[in-house]
Amino acid sequence: MPDSWTFAVARDDLGRTTLTEGTTPALTDGEALLRVDRVGLTANNITYAVLGDSMRYWQFFPPGPRGLGPQWGLPPLWGFAEVVESTVAGVPAGQRVYGYLPPAGHLVVRPDRVDAAGFRDASGHRADLPSPYNGYRSTTGDPAYREDQEDLLVLFRPLFFTSFMLADRVVDHDFHGAAALVLSSASSKTAYAAAFELHGRGPRLVGLTSPGNLAFTRSLGCYDDVLTYDDIDALDAVPTVYLDLSGAPSTRAALRARLGDLLVRDVAVGLTTQIPNADAAGEVFFAPVQIRKRRQDWGRDGLDRRFAEAWQRFAGVVGDWLDVRVDAGPDALRRAWSETLAGRTPPRVGQIVRL
Ligand SMILES: NC(=O)c1ccc[n+]([C@@H]2O[C@H](COP(=O)([O-])OP(=O)(O)OC[C@H]3O[C@@H](n4cnc5c(N)ncnc54)[C@H](OP(=O)(O)O)[C@@H]3O)[C@@H](O)[C@H]2O)c1
């Protein structure tokens, strides 16, 4: 009898989706079974799919073992899961973990480096993939965890970690000597969390957004100024760093036309418009690279402590910027995917799906 399910999207058409039924996988020695419990959906998950081939995001959760052909991809999600069965010491049934999860009922992991903080999935197909995606944090060994903030963690943990690391990198480089930092898709969680981290630290912070999101983005108070994409000519002609989260070629072209050589850095961070921007920008920011650097500089505990402090500061304000919407079940996940793909989720909404 089917007792598990898998949601997948067509790799060549992210709007075409399927929901299949299957049976809960049986474990072999060294494995544990996670039940996916609570996940979030934001533009970031769409980016994983857009870059599924080039950045290998499709490789985390292969469709084959779930009875799906290679034309399908499982877009990775972030959230909480529960260990429901385990053959591994130190990973007991009932343990609750945060990590990278498939859009499916279950995930089989091969826990390694097990300690009080959690474990890593050492499954062979994940061995060469960026390591920050392979860690599962136990709720009991995580300085950033608070039970009453679970939904904030589901939605923001990877995004805020990115924002925190992006801000850290820009500060570490003395803002590249810029007098202004311009962020596109300023209404996105990753952008406004970075602005929150950078506000008041030196350069003027300017957000660019679409007309419908202007009032929301201004209301946050973490940008010195917010303009629409059509208003780029109103930017001050001063040395500027561009942190691009939208990926829109027209915005990049307008900034270059307005600022010329005053555009001292052009950094691809995200692509909410679903247009890959790595080649068009001067450089690419990939959070795992800066995470690796700071793990070396500060140690894992030092990085965890700094992150937890920054996270608690942010968590103290972001609740007022967000309406968490909780839907339930695989069909709701499918609907949330379509809505997020189409850009129909208002920036104030934080979409959670309970599974
Ligand atoms: N480099 C890294 O390591 C890293 C890590 C984390 C996230 N990111 C990237 O940062 C970006 C933002 O992610 P997020 O999860 O924070 O986003 P989010 O909160 O879901 O942001 C939604 C915003 O993105 C824009 N948008 C959404 N859908 C769109 C569509 N279909 N067409 C055009 N614009 C659309 C709109 O902003 P505006 O109206 O303001 O444009 C919207 O308010 C993603 O591309 C994500 O992958 C990068």
Side-chain angles (χ1 to χ4, degrees), residues 42-44 47 159 162 185-190 209-210 213 229 245 269-274 285-287 341-343 347:
T42 73
N44 188 38
T47 300
L159 306 182
T162 299
S185 274
S187 67
S188 70
K189 295 169 192 64
T190 310
T209 188
S210 21
N213 294 334
Y229 294 117
L245 285 94
V269 182
L271 41 123
T272 59
T273 54
Q274 299 162 25
F285 177 78
F286 185 46
L341 180 70

Side-chain angles (χ1 to χ4, degrees), residues 2-350:
D3 53 4
S4 194
W5 55 271
T6 299
F7 167 76
V9 306
R11 288 165 58 155
D12 63 356
D13 174 6
L14 302 180
R16 200 153 56 80
T17 64
T18 185
L19 201 48
T20 61
E21 291 188 332
T23 47
T24 309
L27 299 185
T28 59
D29 250 9
E31 291 181 335
L33 181 68
L34 305 185
R35 186 184 61 78
V36 179
D37 181 56
R38 207 170 180 89
V39 296
L41 256 181
T42 73
N44 188 38
N45 304 100
I46 308 297
T47 300
Y48 291 144
V50 173
L51 302 180
D53 287 316
S54 60
M55 299 285 283
R56 303 186 293 165
Y57 290 115
W58 294 136
Q59 294 182 26
F60 282 91
F61 308 115
R66 295 168 189 268
L68 285 160
Q71 71 274 28
W72 296 103
L74 275 65
L77 306 170
W78 291 95
F80 287 98
E82 207 170 294
V83 178
V84 286
E85 212 184 311
S86 175
T87 66
V88 182
V91 181
Q95 184 177 39
R96 192 166 175 76
V97 295
Y98 183 88
Y100 216 36
L101 299 168
H106 295 89
L107 172 67
V108 175
V109 289
R110 183 163 283 280
D112 186 24
R113 290 197 244 160
V114 179
D115 63 17
F119 58 84
R120 309 192 64 69
D121 181 9
S123 295
H125 68 278
R126 293 176 74 159
D128 293 336
L129 299 171
S131 69
Y133 298 112
N134 288 336
Y136 291 83
R137 301 291 309 238
S138 167
T139 55
T140 51
D142 176 3
Y145 179 80
R146 275 186 25 194
E147 196 179 347
D148 62 341
Q149 290 177 348
E150 274 209 353
D151 285 341
L152 289 185
L153 281 170
V154 167
L155 288 165
F156 276 101
R157 187 173 194 135
L159 306 182
F160 185 75
F161 215 129
T162 299
S163 314
F164 172 69
M165 291 279 95
L166 176 64
D168 173 63
R169 187 164 181 275
V170 174
V171 172
D172 204 24
H173 286 83
D174 264 337
F175 305 98
H176 304 285
L181 304 177
V182 172
L183 291 89
S184 59
S185 274
S187 67
S188 70
K189 295 169 192 64
T190 310
Y192 69 63
F196 176 83
E197 281 292 293
L198 288 162
H199 194 222
R201 311 252 313 246
R204 198 170 162 72
L205 278 176
V206 184
L208 300 176
T209 188
S210 21
N213 294 334
L214 186 65
F216 168 79
T217 312
R218 284 192 170 148
S219 76
L220 302 177
C222 56
Y223 296 99
D224 295 303
D225 204 359
V226 185
L227 305 172
T228 66
Y229 294 117
D230 290 337
D231 242 355
I232 283 173
D233 277 346
L235 285 174
D236 290 340
V238 295
T240 298
V241 168
Y242 179 39
L243 303 175
D244 178 23
L245 285 94
S246 85
S250 55
T251 302
R252 169 162 284 104
L255 275 169
R256 287 184 176 169
R258 168 67 186 151
L259 295 169
D261 289 345
L262 290 171
L263 189 61
V264 295
R265 273 293 196 294
D266 175 350
V267 186
V269 182
L271 41 123
T272 59
T273 54
Q274 299 162 25
I275 303 169
N277 52 349
D279 293 340
E283 59 191 91
V284 175
F285 177 78
F286 185 46
V289 174
Q290 185 72 1
I291 292 172
R292 208 172 307 132
K293 174 180 189 296
R294 288 312 200 187
R295 274 213 181 118
Q296 277 161 15
D297 296 346
W298 299 337
R300 190 173 95 163
D301 290 348
L303 176 58
D304 276 2
R305 198 184 55 253
R306 283 176 172 84
F307 172 73
E309 285 164 9
W311 166 251
Q312 290 306 343
R313 277 196 305 275
F314 181 69
V317 304
V318 75
D320 292 339
W321 300 354
L322 193 74
D323 295 328
V324 174
R325 183 166 76 197
V326 185
D327 292 318
D331 278 320
L333 180 64
R334 188 180 203 168
R335 277 194 302 278
W337 172 266
S338 302
E339 217 184 81
T340 310
L341 180 70
R344 285 198 305 268
T345 315
R348 236 199 113 73
V349 169

